[in-house]
Amino acid sequence: MDSSPAKVTSTRRGYWLSMMALVVALPAALAVQTWGSIKDWRSQHLRQPLSASLGQPIDYAGASWTVTRFTRLAGSAGSAVVLAEFEALAADPKALGSVPCEVRLSDGSGREWRPTLFADPVVRKQYPEAEQRSQCGGMAFAATEPGKPARMAASFSIPPAASGLRLSIALYSALPSYLSVSEPRT
């Protein structure tokens, strides 16, 4: 075994160089991983609204979108129901057919609701044509021919006292931007 001072110094120097490299490499690896997580979180939570009004077409995600109905109805069992109908005219509807879509309703106090799967009986009775429309996303676009709008609908069961309602429509391919339409004033 060679324990000459030159060999010991060389071994110590290699040890300390590798420790310094570890001190630099470990935080760098953590920073890269954290940055990816921050970008993912930001794309899901920090969003930029594109404000539109009822009946006003607005360009979003490669289509011209129009919210055609935003109606609050007295629901069954003391609840309220909001019916939102909207359409998107895309040059290539098949391209949007594979893009996930998210529709939400929120109020002035920050509460959020997702669409109910089955429309309230009040909606089916007053607006039976709404039941024939697809929910936002793939199926609505896949069944649409070029030059024709994809017609969609969403209904929400909310507390009757909810106020300051805003409808949000987000296509994942266009995040962080999303469409935002306020409940019409009556």
Side-chain angles (χ1 to χ4, degrees):
M1 181 165 164
D2 185 17
S3 60
S4 66
K7 180 71 173 171
V8 171
T9 303
S10 173
T11 303
R12 284 186 187 159
R13 183 178 302 139
Y15 171 80
W16 287 111
L17 284 174
S18 63
M19 290 305 283
M20 287 179 34
L22 184 62
V23 167
V24 171
L26 188 60
L30 289 173
V32 167
Q33 178 64 34
T34 302
W35 180 250
S37 298
I38 289 171
K39 282 178 39 180
D40 290 343
W41 179 87
R42 201 168 165 248
S43 73
Q44 293 175 7
H45 294 89
L46 297 180
R47 298 189 175 179
Q48 301 166 348
L50 296 173
S51 295
S53 299
L54 183 67
Q56 171 196 1
I58 187 166
D59 290 335
Y60 172 68
S64 178
W65 291 76
T66 306
V67 175
T68 56
R69 180 176 288 151
F70 194 153
T71 307
R72 185 190 297 233
L73 307 165
S76 57
S79 67
V81 175
V82 172
L83 172 62
E85 292 183 58
F86 44 96
E87 58 188 35
L89 180 60
D92 184 10
K94 305 294 185 230
L96 293 176
S98 63
V99 178
C101 180
E102 181 178 88
V103 180
R104 291 185 186 174
L105 186 70
S106 60
D107 70 358
S109 63
R111 295 179 292 182
E112 285 190 348
W113 297 273
R114 294 188 187 273
T116 56
L117 187 57
F118 299 105
D120 190 278
V122 172
V123 172
R124 288 194 301 269
K125 183 177 179 182
Q126 291 184 14
Y127 300 100
E129 71 279 2
E131 195 173 19
Q132 303 304 317
R133 294 188 175 202
S134 297
Q135 290 189 338
C136 187
M139 289 192 45
F141 291 108
T144 303
E145 298 173 22
K148 304 250 185 205
R151 291 187 166 87
M152 298 159 272
S155 64
F156 305 86
S157 181
I158 64 170
S163 62
L165 298 177
R166 294 192 71 75
L167 177 70
S168 302
I169 303 169
L171 266 67
Y172 286 10
S173 64
L175 288 176
S177 297
Y178 68 94
L179 293 179
S180 176
V181 178
S182 295
E183 179 180 28
R185 307 241 185 241
T186 55

